Amino acid sequence: MHFRRVLMGLGSDERGQSTVEYAVVMAASLAVVVTLGMLWDAVDGGMFVQHAVASASHNVQGAIGGMADVFCY
């Protein structure tokens, strides 16, 4: 029996390879799904839009805001 496994390429070194590959692929897939879920939650919550509005130079209001807007350019 051992001789047949060696001839077919199923030596003792390769018995758990498919299990390890499955675990690695599942971990990577789970990481991608979790990351996409977190990104979806951030976009849905408006975090990116709030950050863009806060970073815009024209967001500053009033006369001081107008002067700051001119000096930003």
Side-chain angles (χ1 to χ4, degrees), residues 11-45:
S12 62
D13 295 338
E14 298 177 3
R15 269 190 218 160
Q17 181 178 354
S18 61
T19 305
V20 172
E21 288 176 357
Y22 180 77
V24 169
V25 168
M26 285 302 292
S29 298
L30 184 63
V32 168
V33 168
V34 168
T35 303
L36 288 174
M38 292 174 69
L39 184 62
W40 180 273
D41 189 44
V43 169
D44 192 37

Side-chain angles (χ1 to χ4, degrees), residues 44-58:
D44 192 37
M47 184 180 78
F48 292 111
V49 173
Q50 290 174 358
H51 184 67
V53 168
S55 297
S57 63
H58 62 274

